[in-house]
Amino acid sequence: MKITAQDLRVQLGGREILRGLDITAEDGQFVGIIGPNGSGKSALLRCIGQILTPAAGAVYLDGRPAADWPPREWARKLGVVARNDGCSFDFTVGEVVSMGRGLRGGFLRKDAGEDGPIVREAIAAVGMAGCEERRFSTLSGGEQQRIILARALAQQTPCLLLDEPTGRLDVRRQMELMDLVKGLGKTVLAAIQDLNIAAMYCDRLYAVKDGRVVAEGTPREVLTEEVIRAVYQVDAQALADRDGVLHILFRPLGRR
């Protein structure tokens, strides 16, 4: 399923957050959004997830505008993993992940009896098998992040929106999570802070600064020394290892 955002504009608190963004994620493509804090990455994902209403512009799934999709049908197409996404009440892990099934159209739908195996499978997929009865509040930040991903997986949607999905994970868990998501074959649009993670896993990147796209293309095309300097105001080297994997090496600011 193809995700398209055209000329998105958002104002929050009197400030223009998005200034005419155009983003496309083709069917089955893993697309990363990179840029400094406050550049508009989260606002973009919130617009696509219909959490935030843009002042102008439009979002499309397979060419069909968001306004034409009933909310329940939209929830069957897009799974969302938001930053700092938690629960107001102390649910169990199983209950949190089951909410992803409810988003598909309510707990009283005809196929609700199939939820148990799907929920357990999603929990196992993120490395948390057997934790169904643990309270969500007792989990570490990284464990909670994995359960929020499991909730999105339980929706069984063709598309995923991920807002800094590896932010609270250690290196091994970051790579496990990204390997999992990459292997799903879904259309993925992810805001990513770690440029090395973006280089390893993304098919295409958009670099965003001050609410605008300033570069787009493959990781090799976007993660250049010139683009990194323009977007982040830091010096870096982009080097490929013997396997062709791109790595970004940063220079301490004091040595500039």
Side-chain angles (χ1 to χ4, degrees):
M1 176 159 278
K2 180 179 178 180
I3 302 172
T4 307
Q6 291 184 351
D7 196 28
L8 286 186
R9 297 177 182 273
V10 169
Q11 289 189 344
L12 293 174
R15 175 172 169 249
E16 195 171 25
I17 305 298
L18 299 183
R19 305 180 182 189
L21 260 70
D22 294 318
I23 300 285
T24 299
E26 299 288 348
D27 183 34
Q29 200 173 45
F30 196 126
V31 175
I33 312 297
I34 64 171
N37 293 338
S39 59
K41 302 187 299 297
S42 295
L44 167 64
L45 295 182
R46 290 171 67 194
C47 285
I48 294 173
Q50 293 207 51
I51 300 167
L52 184 65
T53 302
V59 175
Y60 303 85
L61 288 183
D62 278 350
R64 182 181 173 187
D68 291 352
W69 291 82
R72 286 185 176 181
E73 193 174 350
W74 191 265
R76 289 176 178 265
K77 303 301 181 184
L78 283 171
V80 179
V81 177
R83 267 189 304 168
N84 304 318
D85 192 354
C87 299
S88 301
F89 303 98
D90 194 15
F91 294 107
T92 67
V93 165
E95 289 169 338
V96 171
V97 179
S98 293
M99 293 175 189
R101 301 300 298 164
L103 290 171
R104 290 180 58 85
F107 291 99
L108 298 179
R109 65 192 192 285
K110 293 181 179 179
D111 64 345
E114 303 172 5
D115 289 354
I118 294 172
V119 167
R120 289 190 293 273
E121 182 179 344
I123 294 172
V126 299
M128 297 285 287
C131 295
E132 288 82 357
E133 297 306 317
R134 287 184 61 182
R135 312 305 296 186
F136 185 81
S137 62
T138 68
L139 304 179
S140 69
E143 289 172 331
Q144 290 183 351
Q145 187 73 358
R146 288 153 64 192
I147 293 304
I148 296 303
L149 173 60
R151 184 179 67 186
L153 296 181
Q155 283 181 250
Q156 296 184 320
T157 60
C159 305
L160 286 175
L161 303 180
L162 311 177
D163 194 354
E164 298 184 22
T166 62
R168 296 191 288 179
L169 304 179
D170 60 44
V171 174
R172 176 186 171 185
R173 294 302 184 187
Q174 287 182 30
M175 299 184 73
E176 286 179 345
L177 183 146
M178 296 299 280
D179 280 346
L180 169 63
V181 173
K182 181 77 171 179
L184 294 172
K186 297 177 184 288
T187 305
V188 179
L189 191 58
I192 301 174
Q193 283 287 20
D194 189 322
L195 299 188
N196 285 298
I197 289 289
M200 280 189 281
Y201 290 99
C202 293
D203 302 310
R204 189 170 183 83
L205 292 176
Y206 287 85
V208 177
K209 183 179 180 182
D210 297 329
R212 295 187 175 94
V213 173
V214 296
E216 62 179 282
T218 66
R220 286 181 179 273
E221 292 169 336
V222 173
L223 295 176
T224 65
E225 298 171 16
E226 294 76 18
V227 171
I228 292 171
R229 185 180 300 113
V231 173
Y232 294 97
Q233 285 80 58
V234 297
D235 291 326
Q237 285 184 293
L239 303 173
D241 64 20
R242 63 184 180 184
D243 296 320
V245 178
L246 193 66
H247 298 274
I248 312 302
L249 306 178
F250 296 98
R251 180 178 300 171
L253 292 177
R255 297 182 187 177
R256 298 183 70 177

